[in-house]
Amino acid sequence: MGKRQRIAAGATVTVTLAAVVAILYARGHVRGRNGTGGEVQQGSAEKVTVRMLREPIATPAFTVTALDGRSISSSEWRGKVVLVNFWATWCPPCRAEIPDLITLQEKYRDHLVVVGIAEDEGSVDVVKRFAAEHKINYPIVMSTPEIRKIFPEVMALPTTFVLDRDGNLAQKNVGMLNAKETEAGTRLLAGLNVNAEVVKVEANEKAVGLENAAQAREIPGVDLTKLSGDQRTSVLMALNEEACKCGCGLTVAKCRIDDPTCSFSLPQARAIVCASSVNTDR
């Protein structure tokens, strides 16, 4: 083979290799280094929309006690993304998203900490059994007034607060999490490669109604403070399951939140509370 032929052949090989690399990148098979020095796969070619607060909100340091008795300080999580997930064992969408949270925690354990805040007001043993049966791989703590002050306005379950690596509130999601959006947001905040469109929202933008199968834990016009833990659980389950008689096609809880002036949902909700009290007293 002459010199000119060898040069032409070498150029062909170079172009072919470049084409192969380009194809692998497009398919997500080439690994790229992220800002923290770890190797991660390129994200999917499908662009995901991620909602972020326009201005992250500083969150005070706090300490929680896990179900196993361990005391955990939020300062231990600095440098990682933190998902603070308010949930309850009686809440169907909460239970439905737990497998995704388990997978996310395992996949991004070097970059992420998921913390479950259980809103169950009955026996702690119920939460412990649930966590063990479902092999939850992230810390679970029982909700306290102190935690609710740091993460206010948890009107429905599940509600998830996402903290960035500096401990600032970057996202809030009411209702069941979307797995793809949650992973994309995690990668974005962790400084990993991700194909995402970021939409900035104001901190005072609130969700209207109970979207994404959210379960209400506060009902307008209904006093739940006098109920015991077990009574409150029973009442909330009924309010989030029973259909309102006004014909709206919504549950009593959702109708009360969407339309507090509804003349059907209020007496219906109060009747559910009264029935729970009577049944418990027998």
Side-chain angles (χ1 to χ4, degrees):
M1 182 183 293
K3 180 178 180 181
R4 184 172 299 176
Q5 290 176 310
R6 287 197 300 271
I7 292 173
T12 301
V13 171
T14 301
V15 172
T16 302
L17 286 175
V20 171
V21 170
I23 292 171
L24 289 175
Y25 262 109
R27 292 180 178 177
H29 293 309
V30 174
R31 294 175 179 265
R33 284 197 179 275
N34 61 78
T36 58
E39 286 195 343
V40 296
Q41 287 191 344
Q42 283 280 95
S44 168
E46 179 185 355
K47 181 173 286 188
V48 180
T49 299
V50 177
R51 292 167 61 87
M52 293 281 179
L53 295 184
R54 190 175 302 281
E55 296 293 337
I57 301 172
T59 303
F62 59 95
T63 300
V64 294
T65 302
L67 291 180
D68 60 7
R70 288 181 300 133
S71 181
I72 308 171
S73 171
S74 61
S75 61
E76 300 174 22
W77 306 326
R78 287 300 174 95
K80 292 187 176 183
V81 179
V82 181
L83 267 65
V84 182
N85 177 251
F86 284 79
W87 69 290
T89 59
W90 55 263
C91 165
C94 299
R95 297 197 300 267
E97 71 181 6
I98 283 176
D100 288 333
L101 291 174
I102 291 173
T103 298
L104 200 67
Q105 178 65 93
E106 175 62 25
K107 186 174 181 179
Y108 296 101
R109 57 184 179 274
D110 294 333
H111 306 279
L112 170 73
V113 175
V114 179
V115 183
I117 310 295
E119 286 286 343
D120 289 71
E121 298 183 58
S123 171
V124 178
D125 291 335
V126 172
V127 182
K128 288 182 177 179
R129 284 197 301 272
F130 183 94
E133 290 171 1
H134 291 79
K135 296 180 172 57
I136 295 179
N137 59 351
Y138 50 85
I140 299 292
V141 307
M142 302 303 294
S143 184
T144 64
E146 291 74 23
I147 292 175
R148 293 193 190 103
K149 285 181 181 178
I150 296 172
F151 301 101
E153 298 182 3
V154 180
M155 302 295 292
L157 299 176
T159 291
T160 304
F161 298 83
V162 183
L163 309 183
D164 62 23
R165 289 179 288 176
D166 295 320
N168 299 316
L169 177 63
Q171 290 178 297
K172 178 182 177 181
N173 186 84
V174 178
M176 189 172 173
L177 293 167
N178 177 289
K180 288 184 177 179
E181 292 174 9
T182 304
E183 181 172 10
T186 297
R187 292 182 66 89
L188 184 67
L189 291 172
L192 306 179
N193 295 326
V194 61
N195 185 13
E197 177 186 3
V198 179
V199 176
K200 296 289 187 178
V201 299
E202 301 297 335
N204 58 2
E205 287 187 23
K206 298 180 181 179
V208 177
L210 296 179
E211 302 304 326
N212 302 322
Q215 305 282 284
R217 62 179 296 276
E218 304 286 343
I219 310 296
V222 180
D223 183 10
L224 303 178
T225 60
K226 297 177 182 178
L227 301 177
S228 67
D230 290 337
Q231 286 177 326
R232 183 181 171 90
T233 296
S234 175
V235 166
L236 286 173
M237 289 176 67
L239 291 170
N240 281 287
E241 292 174 359
E242 189 171 312
C244 180
K245 296 178 181 178
C246 73
C248 62
L250 306 175
T251 64
V252 175
K254 185 165 174 55
C255 187
R256 289 302 306 146
I257 290 175
D258 285 4
D259 182 15
T261 65
C262 176
S263 59
F264 287 84
S265 61
L266 183 57
Q268 196 174 345
R270 288 176 174 170
I272 291 173
V273 174
C274 182
S276 175
S277 301
V278 171
N279 291 337
T280 305
D281 292 339
R282 286 178 180 174

